[in-house]
Amino acid sequence: MSKRDDIKRIWQESFSDTREYVRMYFEQVYRDDDALLLHDAEGVPVSSLLLQHYSMSFHGATPPVSYIAGAATRRNQRGKGYMTELMRMALAESAQRGDMLCALIPANEALYYFYRRYGFSTVFYTKEQRFTALHPFSVKNEYHHLDDFSSSDVWKAFDHFQRERECYILHSERDFKNILSDLRATGGDFVVMTHGETDGEKASEGQLPSNIASMAWAEMRDDILLVTDVMGDSADSRMAALRQLRGIHGDTPVLLYGRPTDTMGGRLMPRGMCRVVNVQLALSIIAEAYPEFSSTIRVTDPILQDVNSHTFVVDKGECVIKDDIADAKLDFDVSIDVFTDILFSAPETGEILKFPSVRPMISLMLD
């Protein structure tokens, strides 16, 4: 059997995805060069994961990052250390290919504790906002629903919206098409709203393609319409996308996975984890973005010691390694998970620590 077939078999044994979804995933999303596969002593495939390529908006730069998907071990082989070996392999591979960090979305709450042992921190959050069946999703301006999603303008608008986010795992055009295929395979909804004639000129000022104003993704889960993301050029246009979903699903209650920095009400809930695999790259980007920022940081990383277990000096727009600095001169002396926490804390926490922290966001992953 091929590597793809071996991993597909492990996937089907481990996850409860529909046959249609699995077919879509392994025909459109899967890539051999993303796949890591372990065999037992007899050469039988037992554990696998996909280390997928992404990039991230981060302090004005777009460094490469990786995303772990489909991490699984066959049922009769669990508890033998295969996933530990695989995770260490994945982190080493991610660092070697030049990624800044590695991200993932745990399949359940218990796995947050499991991944913590590999240096991952819970840094991705979502602002859960719930709307009852009576919520009208009122808007001030005129919007229209776009029926044709095949236009290149839809992708261009999506790319425009995602790059406006301060710190976000970015999707390629191929990813965008896979997201729509995922929705089709799971019976979800994708709506795109355009500006009415009265405010179309306003849309062109923001250099948006055509007059696309907003878009949203949703799926039914346990009698609730889960809106996994909504993007747009204003709060009003985003509300229009939600109103369009309301028109499709009637009086169904709505749960929105909102931006963690959204000023609207809602509960801040864990959405995913990451761990830095290249500290110097992260600090170099910060140094260039904030040339006035100065700090001396010692990081300890038991898994990626050669890459990350160093003392980093950030000064005058640069980051260099200086391992001979005395403890008394350190501003931070932290483990890799704590460093990741600091890097991606809320800005208010960053102000206390005197560190340019930023709250990241992840969405629309095929989790």
Side-chain angles (χ1 to χ4, degrees):
M1 295 180 68
S2 67
K3 185 178 184 180
R4 174 182 176 276
D5 289 336
D6 288 336
I7 292 176
K8 184 177 180 181
R9 177 172 291 184
I10 295 173
W11 186 295
Q12 289 175 310
E13 181 179 315
S14 303
F15 305 113
S16 58
D17 297 315
T18 65
R19 185 173 301 177
E20 182 182 359
Y21 177 85
V22 173
R23 182 173 60 251
M24 180 281 297
Y25 196 95
F26 280 88
E27 288 179 357
Q28 294 185 217
V29 181
Y30 174 87
R31 286 180 172 178
D32 252 2
D33 58 356
D34 291 341
L36 298 181
L37 177 64
L38 282 182
H39 300 77
D40 65 11
E42 285 72 42
V44 178
V46 292
S47 190
S48 64
L49 61 78
L50 302 180
L51 189 68
Q52 298 172 327
H53 295 256
Y54 283 86
S55 61
M56 182 181 198
S57 53
F58 180 71
H59 295 290
T62 53
V65 302
S66 60
Y67 177 76
I68 292 177
T73 301
R74 300 190 70 171
R75 292 190 184 93
N76 62 350
Q77 297 290 342
R78 293 173 186 172
K80 299 180 180 180
Y82 289 118
M83 187 52 65
T84 292
E85 182 180 353
L86 206 56
M87 289 298 298
R88 288 176 173 270
M89 288 172 56
L91 293 174
E93 173 69 18
S94 183
Q96 185 175 8
R97 73 188 192 189
D99 296 330
M100 185 184 78
L101 59 80
C102 183
L104 54 81
I105 296 178
N108 56 61
E109 188 174 344
L111 287 175
Y112 280 88
Y113 298 97
F114 173 78
Y115 290 119
R116 189 89 188 181
R117 71 179 69 168
Y118 306 109
F120 283 83
S121 296
T122 305
V123 298
F124 295 108
Y125 290 86
T126 183
K127 185 71 73 67
E128 286 194 354
Q129 300 170 28
R130 296 181 180 271
F131 303 92
T132 69
L134 300 177
H135 198 283
F137 296 109
S138 301
V139 297
K140 299 178 181 178
N141 297 307
E142 179 184 351
Y143 301 94
H144 303 291
H145 180 232
L146 181 68
D147 293 319
D148 182 14
F149 303 147
S150 61
S151 167
S152 62
D153 282 352
V154 176
W155 151 249
K156 291 175 183 176
F158 169 80
D159 195 41
H160 176 90
F161 293 146
Q162 70 168 347
R163 291 181 184 277
E164 284 191 324
R165 289 176 167 173
E166 184 180 22
C167 189
Y168 182 65
I169 300 290
L170 299 167
H171 297 275
S172 67
E173 187 171 4
R174 177 179 181 268
D175 298 331
F176 179 69
K177 292 176 180 177
N178 289 338
I179 292 166
L180 299 187
S181 294
D182 172 39
L183 276 182
R184 286 191 290 270
T186 57
D189 296 287
F190 175 54
V191 298
V192 178
M193 308 304 296
T194 62
H195 285 282
E197 294 180 1
T198 56
D199 52 2
E201 293 183 1
K202 184 188 299 182
S204 64
E205 293 174 4
Q207 298 181 337
L208 282 169
S210 185
N211 63 338
I212 293 174
S214 61
M215 54 188 67
W217 297 255
E219 58 188 75
M220 288 298 301
R221 287 192 187 176
D222 300 325
D223 298 323
I224 293 177
L225 183 66
L226 173 62
V227 181
T228 52
D229 203 353
V230 57
M231 298 180 175
D233 58 12
S234 68
D236 193 62
S237 67
R238 292 191 290 272
M239 191 65 70
L242 296 176
R243 184 183 64 174
Q244 181 67 27
L245 289 171
R246 164 69 80 216
I248 296 172
H249 292 275
D251 58 0
T252 304
V254 174
L255 170 60
L256 168 63
Y257 281 173
R259 294 170 297 171
T261 55
D262 203 323
T263 55
M264 292 178 63
R267 295 191 305 164
L268 200 62
M269 299 295 291
R271 186 70 186 102
M273 308 179 79
C274 82
R275 70 101 77 200
V276 175
V277 298
N278 191 326
V279 172
Q280 188 171 23
L281 175 56
L283 289 176
S284 293
I285 292 171
I286 289 174
E288 184 174 354
Y290 305 91
E292 74 285 355
F293 175 65
S294 177
S295 188
T296 301
I297 306 168
R298 178 181 292 160
V299 178
T300 304
D301 187 340
I303 295 178
L304 301 175
Q305 294 186 31
D306 293 343
V307 179
N308 289 335
S309 289
H310 297 290
T311 299
F312 302 89
V313 177
V314 180
D315 192 38
K316 298 178 181 178
E318 294 183 340
C319 173
V320 297
I321 295 175
K322 293 185 179 179
D323 288 335
D324 57 349
I325 293 179
D327 293 356
K329 296 183 179 180
L330 297 174
D331 295 300
F332 297 94
D333 189 356
V334 294
S335 58
I336 189 64
D337 56 322
V338 174
F339 174 78
T340 304
D341 283 331
I342 293 171
L343 200 67
F344 295 114
S345 293
E348 295 80 3
T349 303
E351 289 182 10
I352 296 172
L353 298 174
K354 297 181 180 179
F355 190 96
S357 302
V358 60
R359 179 74 83 187
M361 183 177 179
I362 190 170
S363 71
L364 302 175
M365 313 304 286
L366 305 186
D367 59 321

